[in-house]
Amino acid sequence: MKFMYSVSASALAFFVMSGVASAQTTEVVTDEVVVFGVGQARQVQTLTAADLALEAPGSSPIKLIETLPGVNYTAADPFGAYEWAVRINIRGFQQDYLGFTLDGVPLGDMSYGNYNGLHISRAIISENIGRVELAQGAGAVSTASTSNLGGTLQFQSKTPDEDFGGFAALTAGSENTLRGLVRLESGVIEGIGGKGYIAYVNSSMDKWKGDGEQNQEQINLRFDQPIGPGVLTAYYDWSKRRESDYQDLSLAMITRLGYGWDNFAPNWTLANLVGDIANNRGDTGAAITNPAAGTVYPAPIQTVDDAYYDASGLRDDNLARLSYNVDVNEALSFSGTIYTHTNEGQGIWYTPYASPYTSNQAGPGTFSPVSVRTTEYDMKRLGGMGSATLQLGAHTVQGGFWIENNEFNQARRFYANQRSAPRDPLEFMTSPFATQWEFDYEFDTTMFYLTDTWRPTDQLAVTAGFKSVKVDMSVDTINNGFSFTPTGDADVKGTITSEDNFLPQVGASYELAEGSEIFASYTENMRAHTLAPNNNRSQISFDAIKNLTDPESSRTTEAGWRYRNGPFQGSVAAYYVKFEDRLLGISQGAGIIGNPSIISNVGGVTTKGVEFAGSFNFTDELSLFAAYSFNDSKYDDDVKNALGAVLQATADKTVVNTPENLFKANLSYDNTAFFATLSATYTGERFFSYLNNASVDGFTLLDLTAGYRFGGNQLLEGLEVQVNVTNLADEEYVSTLGTNGFNTATDNQTLMVGSPRQVFVTLRKNF
């Protein structure tokens, strides 16, 4: 029986009283831009709301951490808001191998087709984030994630202000960008002692190339109410995102068509012509729709995949949580959270590979040869987490749990366009002419953990703990109409269980002298089998994944040294990670066709590297932060078939989308009135073929922030102006890799280029 329907009233009461799953951490109060995790047994850095404010307003919180060591961040727009293209890679771990939480609530793996969460940019307005903590190697055992083989990103929403007031901001700039934000703070309400805020943002901007808009509306509410010895916190997020896509490119396309090449929109006539020609040539396998169009593509188009008419992503989300935190006495504390999340979405692609025609030899007819292909999402999550922390002399013992039920429906549908005019890509599609497949999934997740931090002396802290994780993924077929599905094998049904009852984490930190400490840790993690409708299209393939593959796992060892002395703070860390049962999906053909990726177990992957990071305050106004990372990630084995024959010689090849060298530097000046930051990021060469026969060059990006805080009278107090210039040197570069997956080819239409120089001006006013 689903827990969401069987929890009793008394159990729910315990839920709220018994604790949010978050391990204790040592918080360091400092004015530094980056807070290094003093007292932590793992490599940890923390950034604050003040750091995020230096980014162009509306920037994804993911973009904030690009300055930290080991982090490779890429995007196709200046804000990092376009979800299809935004990616982070940490120490060789791709984004869907990381863990993400907001106030402890799981966000899933934050992939574009996220089946168990949502992107952080849809979960909270960026100005409402209070702090971000990055653990590059492994998060705490309490982290509510089933994908964090690598690092974890934990976001915390800001607490409401003590005083009545508010905040407003208006941003305008390149590509008709216009973004307005207002936040109202209640302050402490007399009589009840509670405090809260409500915030609303509305943003829109044109794409920097091609046609289309990227828009978002969002509302956040938070209220903190003292009840008894504790505080009850309620948080709600509503998000409506509508974003037009950029065209995926290959290296050959970039050379032939240029960085500015994009989809055909708004040229519907050209899209129809190319669709007709493709049908006439037999390039799509569809019926001939207009013989008069001929068989020669108009220059410079050479293939039907050079461009599509348009594409977009539509997402509507509602996220809510209720938490209670209480310190019973100096030795005992409890906290607990219940949360719910609903999502409705469509990923839209105008495809020449399908149309409602069966035959139309006589002429162009009513329908366009270009239809709309959607991937549709419907998610309902309900979960809870709790923990109790007990101080026993030199021991701090914490235990907790996380449970979640997730009902998820995913479908692939097709919608007809009239030849005279296309459908609006920023509106949800209705009335399909075909459903290619539709699956109902249900995920039941259970996690328990126990950890003890022992401080035998003031200098030494030893942490040991473990977690137990179980995920049942069940699938039921609503519709499975794939032409290549074996006869009688279309009804996919069953359950795949991912389970490990002992995933240990041990570590220690030791203070060598004041401001100097060493740390080390060892962690084991498991990544639950992921949703893979592109690989589960028959019972045979589903059972093969169930019976012949194990959940991916990792063993992470890291050690390092932290140092702080006067104006300088820094850290050095080294790590060694061993993957087991690494599963890779190898793409087959153009992404728009929808061919299934082939899941392959490539055996082991070995990752090792070093990171250096430090900041220095030259004066109270001038500071420098710099970080360098070296990463060596290699596949250990060739991909072989059941008979042992080598299918892909991947052994000793570098893991895709993993640069060996990363360098970041920020030079900042702030005299409380004028402030400015110049940021530089170097990203080394990256491969996008498993055989390392396709790569993109390294590149360096510069960003500039400058502003002025006014004062002197009541009108000007709290007013500031800020200018952001992204890609200051106007560098042309390939940014995101793998938007359509990876394969073994020497080239692949799976790249996104970065945005050119953009300028934005923001006015802010606190009141």
Side-chain angles (χ1 to χ4, degrees):
M1 183 177 293
K2 303 173 188 175
F3 82 85
M4 62 187 292
Y5 299 122
S6 61
V7 176
S8 66
S10 59
L12 280 173
F14 174 76
F15 235 170
V16 177
M17 294 294 291
S18 63
V20 65
S22 57
Q24 286 189 331
T25 59
T26 302
E27 183 174 347
V28 180
V29 179
T30 176
D31 294 330
E32 301 291 344
V33 171
V34 178
V35 179
F36 294 88
V38 177
Q40 296 272 8
R42 299 165 288 117
Q43 174 80 314
V44 176
Q45 285 103 31
T46 300
L47 297 172
T48 67
D51 310 315
L52 182 58
L54 295 176
E55 298 287 351
S59 293
S60 168
I62 290 293
K63 191 176 190 299
L64 173 64
I65 69 162
E66 67 177 327
T67 60
L68 297 180
V71 177
N72 173 36
Y73 159 86
T74 56
D77 69 302
F79 298 103
Y82 171 47
E83 291 185 26
W84 178 256
V86 68
R87 298 284 193 281
I88 58 170
N89 176 304
I90 300 177
R91 292 183 176 178
F93 288 95
Q94 309 301 320
Q95 183 165 309
D96 52 355
Y97 286 89
L98 307 174
F100 305 90
T101 64
L102 171 63
D103 295 332
V105 173
L107 302 176
D109 63 13
M110 291 214 318
S111 57
Y112 177 79
N114 197 332
Y115 66 91
N116 62 353
L118 72 164
H119 201 276
I120 182 62
S121 61
R122 287 186 273 126
I124 189 171
I125 298 169
S126 56
E127 284 87 345
N128 291 336
I129 292 179
R131 54 184 281 157
V132 181
E133 181 180 282
L134 169 67
Q136 282 96 332
V141 293
S142 60
T143 304
S145 173
T146 58
S147 58
N148 60 325
L149 285 185
T152 61
L153 264 174
Q154 295 180 300
F155 300 91
Q156 297 290 330
S157 61
K158 71 172 293 292
T159 57
D161 293 343
E162 294 287 322
D163 300 320
F164 174 81
F167 168 82
L170 181 65
T171 300
S174 300
E175 313 306 333
N176 296 315
T177 295
L178 188 62
R179 180 179 187 268
L181 166 70
V182 62
R183 183 174 67 227
L184 299 177
E185 300 270 2
S186 72
V188 177
I189 300 174
E190 187 175 353
I192 64 172
K195 57 182 180 178
Y197 59 77
I198 180 172
Y200 172 76
V201 67
N202 192 323
S203 63
S204 66
M205 71 176 299
D206 294 339
K207 291 166 52 181
W208 64 266
K209 64 175 181 175
D211 179 74
E213 299 178 1
Q214 294 178 335
N215 306 324
Q216 184 172 19
E217 280 188 275
Q218 198 166 8
I219 296 173
N220 288 169
L221 297 96
R222 175 169 166 168
F223 196 82
D224 292 4
Q225 176 62 50
I227 297 179
V231 176
L232 182 69
T233 298
Y235 175 82
Y236 173 70
D237 167 76
W238 172 84
S239 172
K240 176 183 177 182
R241 180 182 288 276
R242 304 289 185 267
E243 56 184 15
S244 299
D245 288 1
Y246 293 95
Q247 172 71 18
D248 302 289
L249 303 172
S250 65
L251 289 179
M253 291 174 64
I254 294 171
T255 300
R256 175 166 54 89
L257 301 169
Y259 279 84
W261 183 255
D262 200 44
N263 294 312
F264 292 138
N267 194 338
W268 182 235
T269 300
L270 179 58
N272 279 319
L273 176 62
V274 170
D276 286 331
I277 293 171
N279 292 343
N280 295 343
R281 292 165 55 98
D283 291 347
T284 62
I288 293 175
T289 50
N290 183 11
T295 58
V296 179
Y297 291 116
I301 301 167
Q302 293 183 1
T303 77
V304 68
D305 295 309
D306 274 356
Y308 310 112
Y309 173 69
D310 211 345
S312 61
L314 318 179
R315 298 290 189 275
D316 290 342
D317 290 275
N318 290 273
L319 176 68
R321 72 172 174 94
L322 189 66
S323 303
Y324 187 70
N325 297 272
V326 56
D327 293 329
V328 178
N329 52 46
E330 292 184 356
L332 180 63
S333 63
F334 296 98
S335 61
T337 293
I338 56 176
Y339 63 90
T340 179
H341 170 223
T342 62
N343 166 263
E344 182 181 0
Q346 288 186 352
I348 291 171
W349 218 339
Y350 286 70
T351 174
Y353 285 95
S355 77
Y357 284 99
T358 54
S359 176
N360 187 29
Q361 301 288 337
T366 300
F367 293 113
S368 167
V370 177
S371 68
V372 176
R373 192 207 79 177
T374 64
T375 306
E376 302 184 9
Y377 312 90
D378 191 350
M379 185 190 317
K380 297 180 178 67
R381 293 194 298 152
L382 177 65
M385 53 192 69
S387 72
T389 303
L390 179 63
Q391 190 74 41
L392 296 172
H395 293 267
T396 303
V397 181
Q398 186 183 71
F401 66 92
W402 165 44
I403 55 177
E404 179 182 279
N405 175 265
N406 175 16
E407 294 182 346
F408 183 75
N409 175 276
Q410 190 172 48
R412 170 68 47 80
R413 296 190 172 96
F414 293 86
Y415 299 81
N417 284 304
Q418 298 295 308
R419 186 175 283 272
S420 59
R423 291 173 179 250
D424 186 344
L426 296 183
E427 296 289 340
F428 274 87
M429 299 292 157
T430 58
S431 303
F433 69 82
T435 296
Q436 195 172 22
W437 47 258
E438 181 180 4
F439 297 103
D440 274 343
Y441 289 88
E442 184 169 358
F443 298 84
D444 287 305
T445 301
T446 306
M447 184 185 86
F448 300 95
Y449 71 91
L450 182 66
T451 184
D452 176 25
T453 299
W454 176 43
R455 297 183 180 274
T457 69
D458 291 340
Q459 293 77 32
L460 177 64
V462 179
T463 300
F466 75 96
K467 65 180 177 181
S468 171
V469 181
K470 180 181 180 182
V471 180
D472 290 324
M473 178 183 74
S474 301
V475 61
D476 192 13
T477 303
I478 308 301
N479 189 325
N480 194 359
F482 286 106
S483 59
F484 51 79
T485 300
T487 302
D489 196 31
D491 188 14
V492 184
K493 193 179 185 69
T495 299
I496 296 177
T497 298
S498 305
E499 183 175 12
D500 196 320
N501 291 315
F502 185 72
L503 293 167
Q505 182 176 109
V506 296
S509 64
Y510 183 77
E511 186 179 15
L512 300 171
E514 184 176 358
S516 176
E517 70 174 12
I518 55 175
F519 63 91
S521 67
Y522 171 81
T523 303
E524 294 183 10
N525 263 318
M526 177 196 78
R527 181 182 186 234
H529 278 102
T530 61
L531 171 69
N534 283 353
N535 309 296
N536 296 347
R537 294 176 176 174
S538 74
Q539 192 68 46
I540 292 175
S541 62
F542 182 88
D543 290 342
I545 294 173
K546 177 179 180 178
N547 298 323
L548 302 179
T549 65
D550 293 318
E552 297 169 303
S553 62
S554 66
R555 292 173 289 163
T556 301
T557 303
E558 63 177 336
W561 173 53
R562 300 185 186 100
Y563 180 76
R564 184 182 180 91
N565 184 7
F568 176 78
Q569 66 164 335
S571 71
V572 179
Y575 56 89
Y576 179 88
V577 184
K578 188 68 176 178
F579 291 83
E580 294 180 352
D581 298 305
R582 181 77 182 270
L583 303 177
L584 292 178
I586 300 176
S587 62
Q588 307 294 305
I592 197 170
I593 299 175
N595 289 342
S597 298
I598 296 176
I599 289 291
S600 299
N601 187 328
V602 297
V605 176
T606 300
T607 296
K608 52 197 173 187
V610 293
E611 297 166 349
F612 303 87
S615 64
F616 185 81
N617 295 330
F618 298 99
T619 67
D620 289 341
E621 294 83 22
L622 184 65
S623 63
L624 174 69
F625 171 81
Y628 169 74
S629 306
F630 173 81
N631 178 275
D632 179 27
S633 295
K634 293 283 198 304
Y635 301 116
D636 293 337
D637 307 286
D638 292 328
V639 178
K640 300 178 181 179
N641 64 16
L643 300 177
V646 174
L647 300 178
Q648 299 163 13
T650 54
D652 296 323
K653 297 295 192 295
T654 297
V655 172
V656 293
N657 193 30
T658 304
E660 281 193 348
N661 296 287
L662 289 168
F663 176 76
K664 297 97 178 283
N666 291 342
L667 182 63
S668 300
Y669 178 83
D670 192 334
N671 66 2
T672 71
F674 175 75
F675 60 94
T677 297
L678 178 64
S679 302
T681 302
Y682 170 75
T683 302
E685 179 189 24
R686 293 165 294 154
F687 295 102
F688 63 98
S689 162
Y690 293 129
L691 298 183
N692 291 177
N693 53 10
S695 66
V696 297
D697 295 335
F699 61 92
T700 300
L701 293 181
L702 300 176
D703 289 344
L704 176 66
T705 299
Y708 189 82
R709 305 181 187 97
F710 296 89
N713 60 55
Q714 187 175 1
L715 181 63
L716 294 178
E717 198 68 38
L719 177 67
E720 67 180 67
V721 61
Q722 179 175 310
V723 178
N724 289 88
V725 185
T726 60
N727 193 2
L728 181 66
D730 205 21
E731 176 88 356
E732 288 189 339
Y733 65 103
V734 175
S735 180
T736 303
L737 310 184
T739 53
N740 274 317
F742 300 100
N743 58 31
T744 60
T746 57
D747 201 0
N748 187 11
Q749 195 171 340
T750 192
L751 312 176
M752 286 276 176
V753 297
S755 56
R757 180 169 51 235
Q758 308 268 271
V759 181
F760 307 97
V761 179
T762 301
L763 285 175
R764 296 190 184 97
K765 181 69 167 74
N766 290 291
F767 54 89

